[in-house]
């Protein structure tokens, strides 16, 4: 555990990032990696900092996104525990759009944050009560994240209510809109499409 491993189609280990069995906050260790995604240029992004699960995952771990090159060499990291921009509380899933923007499902903070590939914060969409998704328990917790093939929609799988949410990605060219800005709608729920 505590590694990211790249395998060939026949199961041969091609790359291992992290130190097996050892937690840490530096560039050669993970605390608790929860997702990995590879950019078209081969860069690898890893969310690190799953919520505590006693006795397996201890409390007080760093919450971050780590970036590596295609060969597993550390490039940079960003984030810390918290609820502000570029802060996370259980960064749980990743998505990349066709313009290279990274989307992080920040589960306990009930949001998805967007970043440039260099880690520059762009925006967020809140899935909390009062944001149009009220379900009586303080907000929706994004458990998964994906991007449509045309790069125009980010999807969030919501773990508490089993909803699939879709958000339009607004491009840089639109007046008064920042890249990564979202407009939300529920596209599926346990009771059927809405």
């Amino acid at each position: 555990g505590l590694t990211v491993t790249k395998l060939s189609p026949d199961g041969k280990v091609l790359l291992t990032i992290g130190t097996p069995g050892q937690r840490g906050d530096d560039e050669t260790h993970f605390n608790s990696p929860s997702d990995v995604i590879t950019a078209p240029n081969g860069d690898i992004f890893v969310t690190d900092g799953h919520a505590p699960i006693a006795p397996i995952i201890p409390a007080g771990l760093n919450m971050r996104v780590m970036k590596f090159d295609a060969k597993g060499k550390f490039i940079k990291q960003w984030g810390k525990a918290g609820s502000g921009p570029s802060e996370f509380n259980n960064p749980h899933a990743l998505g990349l759009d066709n313009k290279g923007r990274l989307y992080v499902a920040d589960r306990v903070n009930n949001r998805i944050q967007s970043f440039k590939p260099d880690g520059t914060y762009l925006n967020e969409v809140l899935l909390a009560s009062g944001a149009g998704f009220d379900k009586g328990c303080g907000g929706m917790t994004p458990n998964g994240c994906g991007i449509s093939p045309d790069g125009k929609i980010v999807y969030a799988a919501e773990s508490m209510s089993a909803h699939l949410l879709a958000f339009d990605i607004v491009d840089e060219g639109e007046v008064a809109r920042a890249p990564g800005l979202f407009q939300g709608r529920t596209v599926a729920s346990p009771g059927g499409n809405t």
Side-chain angles (χ1 to χ4, degrees), residues 159-184:
S159 61
M160 300 303 287
S161 69
H163 282 80
L164 176 64
L165 307 173
F167 300 90
D168 299 320
I169 299 170
V170 180
D171 291 328
E172 298 90 340
E174 292 194 35
V175 178
R177 300 290 182 131
L181 193 68
F182 308 98
Q183 298 169 340

Side-chain angles (χ1 to χ4, degrees), residues 161-163 188-194:
S161 69
H163 282 80
S189 66
N193 289 344
T194 57

Side-chain angles (χ1 to χ4, degrees), residues 72-87:
K73 181 182 176 190
F74 177 81
I75 296 174
K76 72 178 304 178
Q77 68 179 17
W78 66 90
K80 63 180 183 175
S83 58
S86 299
E87 296 176 347

Side-chain angles (χ1 to χ4, degrees), residues 84-138:
S86 299
E87 296 176 347
F88 306 103
N89 189 348
N90 194 356
H92 201 265
L94 295 168
L96 276 170
D97 71 15
N98 59 5
K99 294 187 179 181
R101 295 176 293 216
L102 182 70
Y103 298 84
V104 180
D106 187 8
R107 191 159 82 173
V108 177
N109 283 328
N110 308 109
R111 66 184 177 180
I112 296 176
Q113 295 189 68
S114 62
F115 300 89
K116 291 182 179 179
D118 67 1
T120 301
Y121 173 82
L122 292 172
N123 214 323
E124 68 179 32
V125 59
L126 294 174
L127 308 179
S129 296
F133 303 106
D134 186 45
K135 65 180 185 63
C137 70

Side-chain angles (χ1 to χ4, degrees), residues 140-153:
M140 294 190 162
T141 55
N143 196 48
C145 184
I147 310 298
S148 65
D150 64 5
K152 294 182 179 181
I153 300 171

Side-chain angles (χ1 to χ4, degrees), residues 9-109:
D10 62 353
K12 179 182 174 190
V13 174
L14 301 175
L15 175 68
T16 299
I17 304 172
T19 305
Q22 295 180 10
R23 291 186 197 283
D25 289 326
D26 61 31
E27 58 193 56
T28 63
H29 292 86
F30 295 113
N31 280 311
S32 185
S34 55
D35 200 10
V36 61
I37 196 166
T38 304
N41 71 352
D43 285 348
I44 302 164
F45 296 91
V46 180
T47 48
D48 186 35
H50 195 283
I53 302 172
I56 302 164
I57 302 173
L61 299 179
N62 190 19
M63 304 284 170
R64 61 188 173 170
V65 174
M66 299 178 74
K67 182 178 181 181
F68 302 88
D69 70 14
K71 295 182 179 182
K73 181 182 176 190
F74 177 81
I75 296 174
K76 72 178 304 178
Q77 68 179 17
W78 66 90
K80 63 180 183 175
S83 58
S86 299
E87 296 176 347
F88 306 103
N89 189 348
N90 194 356
H92 201 265
L94 295 168
L96 276 170
D97 71 15
N98 59 5
K99 294 187 179 181
R101 295 176 293 216
L102 182 70
Y103 298 84
V104 180
D106 187 8
R107 191 159 82 173
V108 177
N109 283 328

